[in-house]
């Protein structure tokens, strides 16, 4: 039997309780285990040291649904009020941060920004596809290739037109089936900055076979630096586009490469809300806590689009792509800055060299 659409909530929080919280995951060097913690300011408080009823990992925490979320938020409120707690805080600068959700049950990426889709099609000499305005679409990416802040090791073939993608991701916090858009925002545990790294040459070759992206996408998706609960973003709520359902946020989005600003936009430009995307995703299938849903790329939010637009205006325009040593910073207002550096993998194997037309 499938669970009810509407998640059940336990209204046991104290009066005046602040429903806002940041969560991180880091690698505990002493125990050699991953650890989930509440972040207050620049200090981290391990969940399981705050209370024995709170689990040590983010996966277990999210699967606890209301029970663990309400308890963690109560401790978050105590810390912010200056009350003493059992856990000894650690400065975030001293921690080896992982993705906030290091092992999501799934990773889906949507196509929510019309500007990005329209510009990409225009740059290829194509009209805007009308189906974009009919329903939100998504694809499955590799949930075993999750990275946090820090180095991204890439294979040789990934360096052929290596690209960033500036996105916001929603994290599912409650299980649900056939979730209606009107209720879907209640199933979101929080939001994270997301970089959907893409190897465009591989992607363009394989997409000719009409099965969607595969090796061009499944080597690295970066998430971080922390998970922010929706309550913390209430000041950024803005009007939802006409004819759409669900919450909309106006959060500034930027990408810098080696310190230079290359992209900027806003989550307010999403033409499909996360609520509508969740409704589509959960149709006839169960969603589970910890699942990640990317928004898709914001307009101007990748070199593929930026290069295409530049060449549309000037066929001789120079193309920019990520290269070894590049430092990529994605920032979203209220969600922090996700920093990654491109480094070389120790393995120099090439799958492009195995394609028949490239073989000698």
């Amino acid at each position: 039997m499938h669970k009810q659409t509407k998640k059940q909530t336990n209204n046991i929080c104290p009066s005046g309780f602040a429903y806002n919280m940041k969560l991180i995951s880091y690698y505990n060097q002493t125990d050699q285990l991953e650890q989930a913690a509440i972040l207050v300011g620049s200090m981290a408080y391990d969940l399981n040291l705050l209370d024995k009823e709170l689990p040590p990992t983010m996966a277990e925490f999210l699967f606890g649904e209301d029970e663990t979320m309400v308890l963690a938020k109560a401790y978050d409120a105590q810390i912010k009020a200056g009350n003493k707690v059992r856990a000894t805080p650690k400065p975030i600068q001293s921690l080896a941060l992982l993705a906030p959700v290091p092992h999501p049950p799934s990773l889906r990426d949507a196509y929510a920004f019309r500007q990005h889709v329209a510009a990409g099609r225009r740059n290829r000499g194509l009209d805007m596809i009308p189906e974009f305005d009919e329903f939100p679409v998504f694809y499955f990416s590799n949930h075993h290739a999750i990275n946090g802040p820090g180095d991204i090791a890439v294979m040789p073939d990934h360096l052929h037109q290596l690209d960033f993608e500036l996105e916001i991701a929603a994290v599912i916090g409650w299980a649900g089936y056939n979730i209606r858009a009107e209720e879907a925002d209640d199933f979101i545990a929080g939001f994270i900055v997301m970089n959907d790294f893409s190897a465009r040459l591989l992607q363009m070759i394989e997409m000719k076979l009409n099965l969607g992206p595969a090796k061009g996408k499944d080597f690295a998706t970066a998430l971080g630096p922390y998970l922010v609960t929706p309550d913390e973003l209430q000041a950024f709520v803005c009007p939802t586009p006409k004819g759409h359902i669900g919450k909309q946020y106006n959060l500034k989005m930027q990408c810098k490469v080696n310190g230079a600003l290359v992209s900027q936009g806003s989550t307010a430009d999403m033409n499909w809300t996360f609520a509508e995307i969740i409704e589509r995703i959960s149709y006839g299938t169960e969603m589970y806590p910890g699942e990640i849903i990317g928004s898709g790329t914001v307009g101007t939010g990748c070199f593929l689009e930026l290069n295409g637009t530049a060449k549309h205006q000037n066929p001789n325009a120079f193309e920019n792509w990520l290269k070894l040593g590049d430092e990529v910073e994605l920032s979203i207002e209220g969600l922090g800055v996700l920093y990654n550096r491109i480094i070389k993998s120790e393995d120099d194997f090439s799958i492009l060299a195995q394609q028949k037309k490239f073989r000698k």
Side-chain angles (χ1 to χ4, degrees), residues 12 49 66 74 89 93 167 174 183 229 293 303 313 326 356:
I12 61 173
L49 296 184
D66 283 342
Q93 295 87 350
E167 306 190 25
W174 289 264
E183 301 175 337
T229 57
I293 304 169
F303 278 138
Q313 299 168 350
D326 278 353
K356 288 185 178 179

Side-chain angles (χ1 to χ4, degrees), residues 304-338:
L304 180 67
E305 180 188 337
L306 293 168
N307 291 338
T309 298
K311 283 187 169 293
H312 182 74
Q313 299 168 350
N314 175 12
N316 297 317
F318 177 78
E319 290 188 0
N320 289 299
W321 302 104
L322 297 177
K323 58 187 181 300
L324 291 176
D326 278 353
E327 298 179 348
V328 185
E329 294 177 88
L330 302 191
S331 63
I332 299 181
E333 192 172 10
L335 303 186
V337 180
L338 172 60

Side-chain angles (χ1 to χ4, degrees), residues 189-206:
F191 299 97
I192 305 175
V193 182
M194 173 169 158
N195 192 338
D196 176 27
F197 284 100
S198 303
R200 298 301 190 184
L201 179 59
L202 282 171
Q203 180 187 354
M204 295 307 127
I205 290 172
E206 62 198 10

Side-chain angles (χ1 to χ4, degrees), residues 177-286:
Y177 178 84
N178 277 347
I179 302 166
R180 303 301 192 263
E182 292 83 358
E183 301 175 337
D185 284 313
D186 290 339
F187 287 79
I188 297 174
F191 299 97
I192 305 175
V193 182
M194 173 169 158
N195 192 338
D196 176 27
F197 284 100
S198 303
R200 298 301 190 184
L201 179 59
L202 282 171
Q203 180 187 354
M204 295 307 127
I205 290 172
E206 62 198 10
M207 295 259 316
K208 292 178 181 178
L209 296 172
N210 296 321
L211 278 181
K215 299 312 300 176
K217 289 280 191 176
D218 75 345
F219 60 99
T221 299
L223 299 169
Y226 33 73
L227 184 158
V228 178
T229 57
D231 323 78
E232 191 145 311
L233 303 176
Q234 279 300 111
F236 300 98
V237 172
C238 64
T240 302
K242 184 178 180 181
H244 290 268
I245 300 168
K247 279 190 178 178
Q248 190 90 336
Y249 300 91
N250 185 8
L251 308 174
K252 296 177 184 177
M253 306 173 71
Q254 287 190 341
C255 173
K256 293 181 180 179
V257 177
N258 299 325
L261 180 66
V262 297
S263 171
Q264 56 186 341
S266 171
T267 57
D269 297 328
M270 291 177 66
N271 296 86
W272 291 103
T273 67
F274 275 116
E276 293 166 324
I277 296 166
I278 290 170
E279 180 181 73
R280 180 83 178 183
I281 287 173
S282 68
Y283 179 75
T285 192
E286 190 90 23

Side-chain angles (χ1 to χ4, degrees), residues 47-121:
L47 288 179
N48 57 318
L49 296 184
L50 285 168
D51 194 301
K52 64 181 181 179
E53 298 299 321
L54 288 172
T57 70
M58 188 65 71
E60 294 171 291
F61 172 77
L62 291 171
F63 261 88
E65 297 186 322
D66 283 342
E67 184 177 349
T68 51
M69 185 65 76
V70 170
L71 185 56
K73 286 184 175 181
Y75 278 105
D76 180 74
Q78 287 186 39
I79 295 167
K80 289 173 179 173
N83 298 329
K84 188 176 180 180
V85 293
R86 290 173 55 194
T88 301
K90 303 176 178 122
I92 190 172
Q93 295 87 350
S94 69
L95 304 178
L97 289 183
L98 304 170
V101 185
H103 305 289
S106 75
L107 171 62
R108 297 174 175 92
D109 205 4
Y111 220 22
F113 291 92
R114 196 180 199 279
Q115 179 186 343
H116 171 67
V117 180
R121 293 184 66 83

